[in-house]
Amino acid sequence: MMGYVTGKTIKQLREKQKITQKELAEKINVSDKTISKWETEKGLPDVAIIEELAKALGTSITELLTGDLRENENISGNMKKIHFFVCPICGNVITAVGQGVFSCCGITLYAAEPDKCDDAHWINLETVDNEYHVSMNHPMDKKHYISFVAYVTSDSCEVIKLYPEQDISVRFRRKGHGMIYAYCNRHGMVQKQV
């Protein structure tokens, strides 16, 4: 269940925007006394103006409601800074360059933290003509399998979804230096530089 906006969150976001209570009030067409009441927890903004309030405070509705404020410092948009968010219920894969708050099947997702390959999750990589051939010696049954393999370079990301009972044999057209990722449904993500 999602919480509701708090006065502390409103004040923190307003100060971050370097605007006064009066300036915020003018942006969303309420009085500065109303903003003061919200910030001192003597009242709450009506749900009908939450979207407008979030926009005026330079944040997302989710961040405003949860108070989970995230800083997006990725100005360059380099694909190598990609994050993978994997739903543990349905297996949906969401990618984002930089930070974000994502949910699927009613739960908040966290970015998968890649580890280096280990013996049980070794990424075999062969160069064939102008392609990378990726394979793994890993179980592919319904309870333990590699969910996807991805090839990320500075300007592209290619994700190939895999399913139980399928061989782990994937080909990517070479596009330069980057990283190969593989995601195990039980042990998480591993990576190998190419």
Side-chain angles (χ1 to χ4, degrees), residues 8-150:
K8 178 183 172 190
T9 301
I10 294 171
K11 184 176 182 178
Q12 191 177 355
L13 288 165
R14 179 182 59 77
E15 289 174 347
K16 185 177 166 191
Q17 292 289 317
K18 296 182 172 69
I19 57 174
T20 65
Q21 288 181 344
K22 185 174 170 84
E23 289 169 328
L24 176 58
E26 288 170 0
K27 284 184 173 196
I28 61 172
N29 201 24
V30 297
S31 73
D32 54 337
K33 287 181 183 174
T34 300
I35 302 294
S36 177
K37 283 181 184 175
W38 292 346
E39 289 186 2
T40 56
E41 311 254 327
K42 293 179 181 154
L44 293 170
D46 190 86
V47 71
I49 63 169
I50 290 294
E51 186 176 355
E52 200 176 342
L53 179 60
K55 188 175 178 183
L57 292 170
T59 192
S60 70
I61 295 171
T62 302
E63 287 177 321
L64 180 62
L65 291 175
T66 63
D68 184 12
L69 309 178
R70 306 212 175 215
E71 195 69 37
N72 185 359
E73 297 168 352
N74 180 13
I75 328 171
S76 67
N78 185 332
M79 291 298 287
K80 287 184 181 177
K81 295 179 182 178
I82 197 162
H83 298 278
F84 293 90
F85 299 82
V86 183
C87 179
I89 297 170
C90 71
N92 190 16
V93 180
I94 299 169
T95 59
V97 178
Q99 298 298 317
V101 178
F102 303 97
S103 64
C104 188
C105 296
I107 60 171
T108 300
L109 304 179
Y110 296 96
E113 292 288 331
D115 292 318
K116 290 186 178 176
C117 294
D118 58 25
D119 290 341
H121 299 89
W122 188 258
I123 298 173
N124 300 310
L125 188 65
E126 291 179 67
T127 304
V128 180
D129 295 324
N130 200 26
E131 292 182 326
Y132 288 126
H133 177 249
V134 178
S135 62
M136 294 178 76
N137 185 15
H138 187 280
M140 285 299 282
D141 58 57
K142 291 182 181 183
K143 292 185 179 180
H144 190 194
Y145 59 93
I146 297 296
S147 174
F148 68 87
V149 176

